Structure formats: C-alpha cells, structure tokens
Amino acid sequence: MGTDGDGVALADLLAVLERRYPAATAEEWDAVGLVCGDPTQRVRRVLLAVDPVAEVVDEAVELGVDLLLVHHPLLLRPVRSVRADEPKGAVVHRLVRAGIALHVLHTNADSARPGVSDALARSIGLDDLQPLSAAPADPLDKHVVFAPREDAERLVDAMAAAGAGEIGEYARCAFTGEGVQTFTPGERARPAVGTPGQRHTGPEARVEMVAPRALRSRVLAAVRAVHPYEEPAVDVLELAAWSSPRGLGRVGVLERPITLEALAGVVAQALPFTHHGVRIAGDLSAPVQRVAVCGGSGDSLLDAVRASGADAYVTADLRHHPASELRERARGGAPHLLDVSHWASEWPWLQGAGDRLRADLEEVGGSVEVTISTRHTDPWTSRIASPGGPVRCGPRTGFLVRGAVGRPTRSGGPVPGRRGPLASADGRPRPRPAARAAGP
C-alpha cells in the first residue's frame, strides 16, 4: 500500500474495506460503496457515523476529515438530481466542496462477521453467536488431479497460488493419496511416462483441493501449466451448498437466565439514550437466556426468530401487524419482543468498525486517524407517555380516551406518564436495573 506518512490513497483504503465488507454480500436493493470522492485522494482522517445527514457533515467539516464512512445510504432510492437546495444534494455539494469522500457500508456490514448485529449482541452480553438468517457460503469446487508422485507438491503450490486450498484462516489445504494408474498411449502420443502403443501401469498421486467456483478457470489453467501429462486427468466436483458464518441478525445466549424485564434494562443501559427507549411485548417476569438480535429494521426476520428457539428478540422498527401476529402465535410465551431505536441499535457497531479499519490498514502498512461521530441522529426528539389506567369511552363521543376511570385526562400541556427504569423520558443517566434471575 502506498503510504508516505501522509495517509493512504482512498482507493487502497476502499480495497481494505472491500475485503472485510464485500459489496457482493449487500442485498440486491441496497446502495453501498463510494458516493463521492476521488479514489486517488489521500485519506488521513476518517469519521464513522450511522447517518449521512447535515449535522454529521458539519461534524466532518469541523474535524477536517477526508472520508466520511457511514452505515446508511445517502441515495438508497433513485434521485433525478443533486441540487444544492435539496437535502441530499446539499450533503453531496458540502462534501465535495470540503474535499470529503463519502462511502457507505450498509447491508454488507449487516451480514459481515463481525458486523452490525454482532456488535449489538455483544453489547448486551450474548455469547456463542450464530447468524439468525445465514447467508449461503460461496459455491465451492473440489479439484481432483492425478499426476506422478514427484509432481504432487508442485501441483499443490500452483493450485494454491491460483486461489485453491483456502479454508477459513488456513491456506494451501490439500489432500494427497497414492494409487495405481494404467493407460495405453496412442502411436502419435508423446507420454511423460510409458511408451506409445504399450500398456503402462505405475504409481500415481491423487491431489484434492477446494476452490471458489468463481476461480475454476484460473485453477484449471494453473494445473495445465505445471502438469507433465499431455492430457491431465482432472475431476471438478461441484460441492453441495451450505451456510456461511455471514448473514443477517444474530442469536446467542446469556451467561445465565434472567427475566425479560431485566433484559430490557440491560438493553436500555447498553445503548445510547433515545426518547424511544425500550418497548416490550411479553411477560416481564418471563425467563430469557437465548436471545436473537438484529441491528436496524428487523421484523422481516420474525419467522427466523421463531425457528431459532429464542426466548426474546431485540431489534428496531417493529411494525404493529407483524409484531401482533408473532405474539398471537406465541400464545403469551416466547419469543418476547424488545423494540429499540433504529439508530441506537446500529450505533454500537461504529467503534469496532473503526478499530478493525485501523488494524487492517496497519497490516498492509497504512495508517489513518479514526474518529467516531458524537452526533445524536435519532430523529425523535421528545416523547409524551399516555397516562396509565384502563381504556374507556369518552361521554357522548364513542372515542377512546386513556386515563383512570372517574378522572379526566389533562387536556393541555404535556401529559405526565409513568416513569420507570426502562422509560427513556429524559436524558439523565438511569441506574442499571437489577439483573433479577428468573425463578422457576
């Protein structure tokens, strides 16, 4: 990587990000990647944020960063222009004038491992994490090559250089066995072993290596380049598909069972303050230990939550009908639901993403300064809780009015609501609720 003490080239930094968050793993509808910026420009300072909004752009300009790395796309839906007098256009114009590049890591960061949901899960104490909805692994081939024993190691080296034999954190993985070959070369053949027109029998090595299907042509070319036979004996087997460690959401376990109320308190304390707080659907005294999470909007994964056997599900943007239907199916039992702010559920990912970016760049000889945005970009600025009590009909109206029976509700000014340890009604720090263990 080209680095001269003056940061790194944007193109080199993006290549590092691509290895950890491949654009190909983003959902088809998503808009990830570089939005604006010159790939040749130098990057010395990076700001990470959830939202590419005007307030965050102000922060980026104030800090003098060269790259704004965000989770949410600026241009998710097609636009006809980027006029400077429109909100999205204004963001683009401001960034370009300041020389700040904008890059988006959205669902490719959601499905990465570690990704957005891993950070949310770890923040509330979950271990043994698995994808809630696993992505399929990249399709693999197994290459089986037959060659003289003395050429086996040379074949393994050539195939490995072409990308075969990589399994997780291991490289040059191969199996070599021995058997007996037999063939009769034709009169015009020029065999590496044996004589034309005479049957040949002798020892032969069998070399097996796996490789991504996308590299098939490259691996076969490497085999032909070093194989001594005129007609190399090669089998290419397409392996059955299986799940990868990537995917949306995560499911894991707490160290010990606690109540749903205690879990909600842990979530409230782990995430940054929002007026949304933590909404709960379920019996507060219910025991929970296996918990599913999804950073961001997660009601598309409700079927996966049920299939996972989770006792509770922590996510954001739960809509009325999907949530209601899941609770009806649960018949009062698991899975229980905890709904939090969209922005807050994705915010824990920023710190880890910044740390990994620094470490990944250092491995290739690069270095940048990484800062995490301190701007609160949750759109909700206040919340007024409805008064407690039964729901009754107002006199002569038939409209439902909330309030204690026999007492009128206040008609003017803020409506005072019940405040407890789980209500985010103000910005003051709240004591961590006792992690009450679930009883029998």
Side-chain angles (χ1 to χ4, degrees), residues 14 30 39 66 109 113 133 155 171 173 208 216 223 227 229 270 338 359 378 386 425 431:
L14 297 185
D30 205 359
D66 308 292
R113 183 172 184 181
S133 177
L155 267 172
C173 301
E208 299 183 13
R216 180 183 293 177
V223 169
H227 203 292
Y229 291 173
L338 290 86
D378 187 82
S386 300

Side-chain angles (χ1 to χ4, degrees), residues 317-391:
D317 298 342
L318 285 175
R319 293 170 295 163
H320 173 88
H321 294 295
S324 177
E325 289 173 9
L326 181 132
R327 294 303 300 147
E328 286 287 301
R329 288 176 178 271
R331 299 181 182 275
H336 308 285
L337 300 176
L338 290 86
D339 183 66
V340 301
S341 154
H342 187 125
W343 169 80
S345 72
E346 294 172 330
W347 185 85
W349 170 73
L350 298 177
Q351 185 62 58
D355 292 341
R356 285 185 287 275
L357 175 58
R358 274 191 294 261
D360 291 346
L361 285 171
E362 288 173 1
E363 284 187 3
V364 293
S367 177
V368 295
E369 177 184 329
V370 179
T371 303
I372 307 303
S373 173
T374 60
R375 302 301 167 93
H376 187 296
T377 56
D378 187 82
W380 306 106
T381 58
S382 299
R383 181 175 69 88
I384 299 176
S386 300
V391 177

